[in-house]
């Protein structure tokens, strides 16, 4: 369960304040497949940063599976995040000096929730699951954008987190590859994981069960809908 | 291999050029520090060990009455560790055809079982057969004498041929190569046969449980009184510095120079490494964000980057430690060769290796810790938002740089240089310090050259003949009547017999030089007071060394001066600077009135008519020939040009070291600049792509970076040369004190030659330092440059 209550984020700078999020209250249930949409500057990525603890709220609370995320310090947050949330970035953000499988193993090594003896097999399975197992021993630079994004998803799943968040995961991909990635997310949601995706792509947003639309840092609409699987 | 470790290693492998640069910078810093530690360890131990292993005398007594001495009883005295006769007579020896220099001929009591002042057998016999002699090994370097050769020794009027049957090593003596003496060792009968002097007139003593020179003096004073009561009058007492080699000062200077300059080089290396590490970590900020986003705690991130730094340290250590050991030994051997001692340290102490290893590991950690902590502490959000150098990152100063006359390329270079102002400041400061030290090296060298010129200028005679015995002027002058090319001969008295500089001499009291007060042959640099005015008032002038010996009396004070047993009060009217042992100058008329009623002389100062080097050396040869035909008992004949060379030989080792180490500093600072330029290029890789995309040719980009490098070089040269001014004054002060005595300073001299060399060298280094990374920059394709993060 993800609960955001009256979350605001105000950036101070240059003598003026900019309100990126304004009194957002939201709740996501386990297994939800939700999209956060809105125009550029609407506060989507900021909201995602609040969810993942990447950034701190100015006011309000973020409670995820009983943990008050906004109260954790940097070190506790990192550890909590590793266990509970998998993050997929728009620009993949793979470690360029490690191979694809090593990127996944690194995530496991850092958090240590998966027993050491099972890490290699799990990493291989995840790569198989996202369909890039043949690229396991290649450096990220050798992969296409779609393949890199799949590697990033595999890494996000490395520690089997209950929540997966993705920031514009198809923003850098062609339409065919985007479809494949979204399908992958859908399957993960079907397997019981909460998947929250930030996107400004209208065609992508049609694939989600729930659509939270932001405008000027506020929730403009929050629609639940039935979508074909 | 665990993944965090693999990431650390792979990050280093991913940018081999930059990694190599960091390793190189670290290795140079470590090499410098390690080299110093190694040579310091070796030299401080070995010169002292060489000296003390000979069991040198704590005191040297001379007397004509030692025949009455019960040596066995003396040896049994409490407080006396060892006692042995070791006679010494100063004669002359032919080192090359018709070239004679001073011979220190030692009459050794027991070659078989010596108890002190030990000699090591180097080659041939360890015990010379009767009528033959051993020579000290360093003498071979300034003569054609060697084992098997028959030396020609001049003792008074006689020339005696003495076969050399062995080469000895006597590290307790000042090196022959610097002092231009030959040391020879013979048994007592041979000593008497050569010199005509009786043996057993010079006694060496070693005392028990003494730790200072003052303690030795106290014991010897008491012994002197007791000997006097036994009817043994001492003619001289010499208490040298306890357990200190006569050239310890040179070693101290070298170690100081090596230590201080290398420390500066090390500090520059440290700045360079910290810059490089900061740049590496700045590029890793986004990755730190990713690591944190996927669950890495601060501790784990810290571990990854510390691992990276330790890998760098180990790599640098693997390169630097063997180099440090090799160069430390090489430098030690160089110094040992110059000072004539053996390197005894075959194995360096384990703690030294541990210190080197610890330094190689801790140094990079300490230098990069601020940057690592900064990177580790950055929030995930800020880390993920980091794109390296800000596209709008120009400082306010850079924006202000605008000139319509300036070509756009130059304007861009200036603005880019000002973009990272902190780094620019560090780079310029580091390079400027290198330039300042390099330039100071030349200025100090020039100061020493001026000092040498002053030494040359202060003594205006061309050839000096010093006699062993005082004789009447009327006896001496006729000997040289037939010698041509002599404008005039001035006669002096009161000298000790041998011409020694402070840096060669052991403490043997004050030499008194009696000379005409209005002589034009001696024009020393007067630092305080004035030169002698006449002979009406009893007045003296001292050199700084004598001033120190007398406890720095004030100008105008009256001092008791003991001349030939007569104590006279004299007024100190002036102090002079000279590279000499302690000397007091007094008017000859006054001196004769005090202690020389028969007007004896012991020095003849020749002034030649024609001044060329060859002419003067011919004159010296003619004087030698005249002496050979006479009854004169001569201690030495020396041309002024040779005297200057002797002093130069003493300073040469220091001059060479100064320039070498200064160059090292400049190289390190140039490396610093190369790294700063490399960092700047790496950070602006995307900009290079943009420039190329809008039509900039590789040549234009190349020129851009070289121009930036030259801007830094020019700024560094200007600042460095400005800094060199006060630095040179401090250095001149330091070296002056070291060579001339407390309070003395070398004259600050601006070296035009040094200025030109510094300017050209720095600009060439600057050009190279920017050219190499610039070439690398233009090799990156436009596509790769644009894709670079």
């Amino acid at each position: 369960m993800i609960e955001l209550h009256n979350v605001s984020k105000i950036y101070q700078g240059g003598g003026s304040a900019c309100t990126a999020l304004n009194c957002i209250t939201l709740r996501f249930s386990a297994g939800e497949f939700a999209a956060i949409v809105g125009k550029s500057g609407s506060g989507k990525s900021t909201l995602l940063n609040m969810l993942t603890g990447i950034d701190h709220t100015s006011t309000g609370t973020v409670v995820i599976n009983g943990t008050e995320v906004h109260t954790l310090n940097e070190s506790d947050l990192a550890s909590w995040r590793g266990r509970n949330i998998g993050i997929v970035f728009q620009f993949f953000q793979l470690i360029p000096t490690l191979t694809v499988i090593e990127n996944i193993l690194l995530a496991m090594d850092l958090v240590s929730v998966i027993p050491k003896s099972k890490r290699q097999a799990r990493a291989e399975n995840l790569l198989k699951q996202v369909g890039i197992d043949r690229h396991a021993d290649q450096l990220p630079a050798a992969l296409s954008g779609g393949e890199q994004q799949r590697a990033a998803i595999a890494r996000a799943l490395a520690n089997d987190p209950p929540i997966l968040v993705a920031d514009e995961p198809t923003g850098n991909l062609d339409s065919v590859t985007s479809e494949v990635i979204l399908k992958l997310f859908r399957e993960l949601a079907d397997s019981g994981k909460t998947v929250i995706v930030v996107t400004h792509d209208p065609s992508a947003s049609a694939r989600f069960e729930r659509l939270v639309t932001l405008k000027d840092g506020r929730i403009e609409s929050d629609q639940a809908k039935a979508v074909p699987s | 291999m665990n993944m965090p470790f693999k990431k650390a290693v792979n990050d280093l492998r991913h940018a081999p050029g930059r990694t190599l640069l960091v390793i190189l910078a670290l290795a140079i810093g470590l090499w410098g520090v390690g080299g110093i530690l190694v040579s310091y360890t070796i030299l401080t131990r070995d010169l002292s060990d060489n000296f003390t292993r000979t069991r040198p005398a704590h005191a040297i007594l001379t007397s004509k009455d030692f025949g009455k001495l019960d040596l066995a009883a003396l040896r049994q005295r409490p407080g006396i560790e060892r006692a042995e006769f070791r006679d010494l007579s100063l004669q002359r020896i032919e080192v090359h055809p018709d070239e004679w220099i001073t011979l220190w001929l030692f009459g050794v009591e027991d070659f078989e079982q010596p108890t002190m002042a030990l000699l090591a057998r180097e080659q041939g016999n360890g015990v010379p057969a009767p009528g033959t002699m051993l020579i000290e090994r360093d003498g071979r370097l300034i003569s054609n004498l060697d084992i098997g050769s028959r030396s020609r020794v001049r003792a008074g009027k006689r020339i005696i041929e003495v076969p050399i049957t062995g080469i000895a090593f006597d590290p307790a003596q000042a090196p022959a190569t610097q002092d231009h003496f030959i040391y020879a060792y013979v048994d007592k009968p041979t000593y008497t046969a050569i010199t005509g002097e009786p043996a057993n007139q010079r006694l060496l003593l070693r005392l028990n449980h003494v730790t200072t020179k003052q303690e030795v003096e106290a014991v010897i004073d008491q012994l002197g009184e007791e000997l006097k009561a036994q009817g043994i009058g001492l003619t001289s007492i010499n208490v040298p510095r306890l357990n200190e080699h006569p050239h310890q000062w040179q070693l101290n200077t070298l170690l100081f120079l090596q230590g201080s300059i290398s420390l500066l080089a090390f500090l520059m290396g440290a700045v360079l490494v910290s810059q490089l590490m900061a740049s590496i970590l700045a590029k890793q900020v986004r990755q730190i964000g990713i690591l944190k986003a996927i669950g890495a705690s601060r501790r784990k991130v810290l571990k990854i980057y510390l691992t990276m730094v330790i890998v760098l340290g180990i790599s640098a250590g693997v390169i630097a430690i063997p180099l440090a050991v090799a160069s430390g030994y090489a430098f030690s051997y160089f110094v040992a060769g110059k000072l004539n001692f053996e390197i005894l340290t075959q194995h360096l102490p384990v703690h030294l290796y541990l210190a080197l290893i610890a330094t190689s590991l801790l140094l990079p950690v300490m230098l990069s810790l601020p940057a690592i902590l900064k990177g580790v502490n950055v929030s995930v959000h800020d880390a993920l938002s980091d794109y390296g150098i800000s596209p709008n990152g120009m400082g306010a100063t850079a924006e202000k740089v605008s000139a319509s006359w300036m070509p756009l390329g130059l304007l861009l270079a200036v603005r880019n240089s000002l973009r990272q102002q902190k780094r620019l400041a560090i780079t310029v400061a580091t390079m400027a310090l290198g330039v300042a030290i390099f330039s100071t090296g030349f200025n100090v060298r020039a100061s020493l050259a001026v000092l040498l010129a002053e030494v040359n200028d202060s003594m205006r005679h061309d050839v000096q003949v010093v006699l062993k015995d005082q004789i009447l002027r009327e006896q001496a002058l006729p000997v040289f009547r037939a010698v041509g090319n002599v404008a005039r001969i001035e006669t002096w008295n009161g000298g000790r017999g041998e011409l020694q500089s402070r840096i060669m001499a052991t403490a043997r009291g004050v030499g008194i030089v009696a000379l005409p007060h209005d002589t034009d042959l001696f024009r020393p640099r007067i630092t305080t007071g004035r030169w002698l005015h006449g002979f009406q008032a009893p007045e003296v002038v001292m050199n700084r060394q004598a001033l120190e010996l007398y406890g720095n009396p004030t100008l105008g004070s009256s001092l008791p001066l003991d001349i030939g047993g007569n104590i006279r009060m004299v007024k100190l009217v002036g102090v002079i600077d000279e590279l000499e042992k302690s000397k007091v100058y007094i008017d000859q008329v006054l001196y004769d009135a005090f202690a020389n009623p028969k007007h004896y002389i012991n020095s003849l100062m020749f002034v030649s008519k024609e001044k060329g080097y060859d002419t003067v050396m011919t004159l010296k040869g003619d004087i030698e020939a005249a002496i050979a035909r006479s009854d004169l008992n001569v201690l030495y004949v020396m041309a002024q040009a040779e005297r200057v060379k002797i002093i130069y030989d003493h300073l040469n080792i220091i001059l060479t070291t100064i320039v070498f180490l200064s160059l090292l500093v400049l190289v390190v600072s140039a490396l610093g600049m190369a790294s700063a330029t490399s960092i700047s290029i790496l950070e602006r890789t995307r900009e290079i792509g943009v420039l190329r995309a809008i039509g900039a040719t590789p040549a234009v980009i190349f020129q851009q970076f070289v121009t930036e490098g030259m801007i830094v070089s020019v700024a560094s040269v200007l600042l460095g040369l400005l800094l060199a001014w006060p630095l040179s004054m401090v250095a001149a002060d330091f070296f002056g004190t070291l060579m001339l005595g407390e309070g003395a300073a070398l004259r600050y001299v601006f070296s035009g030659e040094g200025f030109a060399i510094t300017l050209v060298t720095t600009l060439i280094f600057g050009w190279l330092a920017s050219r190499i990374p610039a070439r690398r920059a233009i090799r990156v394709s436009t596509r790769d440059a644009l894709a670079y993060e």
Side-chain angles (χ1 to χ4, degrees), chain A residues 136-147:
Chain A
D137 296 321
Q138 287 181 305
L139 287 174
L143 273 61
S144 70
E147 287 163 342

Side-chain angles (χ1 to χ4, degrees), chain B residues 205-245:
Chain B
L205 289 173
R206 274 181 71 82
L207 309 181
N208 284 319
H209 318 301
V210 282
T211 52
T212 63
K213 186 181 172 185
Q214 286 71 27
E215 287 177 15
V216 177
E217 283 171 339
V219 173
I220 296 301
D221 282 349
Q222 194 190 340
L223 179 66
E225 291 300 320
E226 290 177 29
L227 291 175
K228 198 174 173 183
Q230 295 169 29
I232 301 169
L234 297 178
T235 46
S236 76
I237 299 171
N238 176 22
V239 179
R241 288 189 181 179
L242 191 66
N243 293 332
E244 190 175 303
H245 188 274

